[in-house]
Amino acid sequence: YEIYDKAKCRRFDTQQESDFAVLNYDDAACRAFASRTKARIVWFSSKQRAPGGIWLNGDSLEFNGMAFLSRSQIRLRGMHNVENVMAAAAIAHLAGAQLAGIGSAVASFPGVEHRIEFVRKLDGVEYYNDSKATNVDASLKAIDAFPGGLWIILGGKDKGSDYTPLAEPLKKRAKAALLIGSAAAKIEAGLKNSAPLVGCGTLPEAISYAHQHAAAGDVVLLAPACASFDQFENFEHRGNVFKQL
């Protein structure tokens, strides 16, 4: 993480006074970036009124006090996507787009394939494809996007990850974790005392198990926290197989 952080810092070190830096006011690392740049800072925040920027005021997104979008209009799930919208909206507005147009564009955006992508509703159960969640942090964000009733499919090719951060969120929100792929045993070891764990081995078996056991109102979520290369060509292939099944 330290190397990644330093690499990101280089972007800000090379900015000039005529540039802008759009930063997350709620993130300590991003706050630190502000001291590294000559650029004009534009903040965004989902928790508090950011000085000079966008913040989430209840259900309303506001840019310097001017509301331009309701959170309920954002079709993407998860607070991380609300933050993504704020960052993108700030950049678009700084580039000359009007706030009203930005709000309309966001409200009409259905999302990107394989990123908490709604697939279908069957027998009252919703199916979501987040095959792009190839690491633990991405899976945590996917879990956070749902209040509960989750049947989450985890596993694939291990990337040297620590899976224990998933334990508490799964204990609170998941009815079961369905484990697939070569990382299944390691994930199982890291998720003791969390949600019930079911060894399924393959994606077809996991979906079949979820279909048999999920109840109306539940969510079946593919958010593997792993690479796909043990059983699939890439994460797109894995997501497409999930959708076909």
Side-chain angles (χ1 to χ4, degrees):
Y1 178 81
E2 183 180 351
I3 295 172
Y4 178 82
D5 188 68
K6 288 181 178 178
K8 288 292 185 183
C9 279
R10 289 290 300 141
R11 294 175 179 270
F12 302 101
D13 290 343
T14 58
Q15 286 189 299
Q16 302 303 315
E17 290 86 351
S18 59
D19 297 326
F20 292 97
V22 178
L23 300 172
N24 187 343
Y25 193 71
D26 304 324
D27 184 276
C30 289
R31 292 276 285 271
F33 289 156
S35 64
R36 298 285 298 267
T37 182
K38 298 177 182 178
R40 287 171 282 180
I41 306 299
V42 177
W43 298 105
F44 64 92
S45 171
S46 62
K47 299 177 180 178
Q48 55 198 304
R49 184 186 293 275
I54 297 181
W55 76 300
L56 179 62
N57 183 10
D59 185 56
S60 179
L61 271 68
E62 300 181 359
F63 197 126
N64 290 335
M66 183 174 296
F68 66 96
L69 181 70
S70 295
R71 181 185 176 183
S72 56
Q73 292 178 285
I74 301 174
R75 297 163 67 181
L76 312 176
R77 297 192 70 105
M79 183 55 72
H80 67 293
N81 274 322
V82 175
E83 293 173 341
N84 287 339
V85 165
M86 288 192 284
I91 292 167
H93 190 52
L94 293 170
Q98 298 299 309
L99 289 176
I102 293 170
S104 297
V106 171
S108 67
F109 180 59
V112 180
E113 191 176 20
H114 309 302
R115 293 160 176 83
I116 318 185
E117 174 193 8
F118 175 70
V119 177
R120 72 172 299 186
K121 189 172 185 177
L122 177 63
D123 299 331
V125 178
E126 294 185 343
Y127 290 76
Y128 282 86
N129 163 33
D130 196 24
S131 185
K132 186 64 172 68
T134 60
N135 58 62
V136 170
D137 183 63
S139 293
L140 285 170
K141 286 181 169 58
I143 294 165
D144 186 59
F146 299 91
L150 285 176
W151 299 80
I152 185 169
I153 301 173
L154 294 170
K157 182 177 173 59
D158 179 49
K159 299 167 71 174
S161 301
D162 174 13
Y163 298 100
T164 56
L166 294 167
E168 192 60 30
L170 290 180
K171 186 176 182 179
K172 294 178 179 178
R173 303 189 186 213
K175 289 191 172 181
L178 313 179
L179 308 183
I180 67 172
S182 60
K186 182 178 179 182
I187 295 173
E188 183 176 7
L191 296 184
K192 292 179 179 178
N193 302 317
S194 63
L197 307 175
V198 182
C200 293
T202 67
L203 189 54
E205 287 298 320
I207 294 174
S208 176
Y209 186 94
H211 178 61
Q212 292 174 41
H213 294 85
D218 289 349
V219 171
V220 177
L221 172 66
L222 172 66
C226 292
S228 58
F229 305 120
D230 57 337
Q231 297 179 339
F232 303 94
E233 296 174 6
N234 47 46
F235 77 85
E236 293 97 338
H237 180 211
R238 177 171 60 190
N240 286 332
V241 170
F242 176 81
K243 291 193 286 184
Q244 290 162 6
L245 290 166

